[in-house]
Amino acid sequence: IIVLAATFILEKNPELIQPVQTPTIGPTVQAMMVEGWLSSDITQIEILDSQGSRLKILQIEEGNWVIALPDGDVADAGIVEEIRTQITAARTTSFLDPGYDLNAIGLSIPSNTLTIRSAQGRETVIHIGQLTPTGTGYYVKVDNSAPAVVSKFSIDDILRNLQRDVLVHLETFPTTQP
């Protein structure tokens, strides 16, 4: 009778004999800071800081770049390629609520505004705010998206490379001594 009852119960409730599934832990997927961009798509990069200083670099032909603002000097193509890769590889670590107070995280008046453009006229604007309380990320707002946090190291690398002194390498030659 017990075997018959157990068989009847298991036929009506097959989930009772299913093995317990333990969830597998895998890597978490993080969103890209700029979705849908390849580094090769970027043909113009402009940065504006909170004091109004502007630096703009343009691709004048494949592999050749010029600093359009402030002076028209030739930019180091290797550094520009590194910047393009850094921008397209940066990932968000978290998103904030879309209605988050932008003033509280330094995005109402961003410390830096980075604008990238493609040859076809596509444009994305990245506002960079203040450091997070832990000091491991910056608050950013890309176009009209919700504020997000991006690694401090990613943003610092981009900002460090977007300096005129880094982009223009002046050749120095040894002077002869008399």
Side-chain angles (χ1 to χ4, degrees):
I1 293 178
I2 294 175
V3 172
L4 199 53
T7 304
F8 179 75
I9 291 172
L10 290 175
E11 283 179 357
K12 296 292 182 187
N13 301 301
E15 69 275 1
L16 294 174
I17 58 172
Q18 297 291 328
V20 176
Q21 297 288 328
T22 57
T24 56
I25 299 173
T28 58
V29 177
Q30 296 174 319
M32 303 304 287
M33 179 175 70
V34 289
E35 293 289 340
W37 283 84
L38 300 173
S39 64
S40 60
D41 293 339
I42 301 172
T43 58
Q44 183 178 15
I45 304 168
E46 184 174 344
I47 186 159
L48 174 68
D49 69 20
S50 59
Q51 288 78 41
S53 296
R54 185 180 308 265
L55 178 98
K56 183 178 188 179
I57 52 179
L58 301 168
Q59 186 175 38
I60 52 176
E61 58 185 50
E62 189 65 36
N64 293 316
W65 293 81
V66 66
I67 300 173
L69 289 173
D71 52 26
D73 280 339
V74 174
D76 183 301
I79 300 293
V80 176
E81 187 54 42
E82 186 176 340
I83 295 166
R84 295 189 324 168
T85 301
Q86 290 167 332
I87 291 170
T88 57
R91 296 182 179 275
T92 59
T93 57
S94 62
F95 283 95
L96 282 66
D97 181 58
Y100 202 88
D101 179 16
L102 298 180
N103 193 42
I105 56 176
L107 286 170
S108 60
I109 301 173
S111 60
N112 289 283
T113 300
L114 181 63
T115 304
I116 57 174
R117 293 182 183 91
S118 72
Q120 295 75 31
R122 181 177 174 203
E123 178 179 283
T124 292
V125 179
I126 305 158
H127 300 285
I128 302 168
Q130 63 192 33
L131 277 170
T132 60
T134 61
T136 59
Y138 282 96
Y139 295 107
V140 298
K141 185 166 176 25
V142 179
D143 293 329
N144 294 319
S145 67
V149 176
V150 174
S151 163
K152 174 188 184 314
F153 302 107
S154 295
I155 298 297
D156 281 348
D157 283 347
I158 293 167
L159 296 177
R160 185 175 25 261
N161 283 329
L162 276 171
Q163 301 291 320
R164 186 191 177 287
D165 294 346
V166 174
L167 288 163
V168 178
H169 291 291
L170 299 176
E171 293 287 331
T172 56
F173 298 100
T175 58
T176 58
Q177 297 293 326

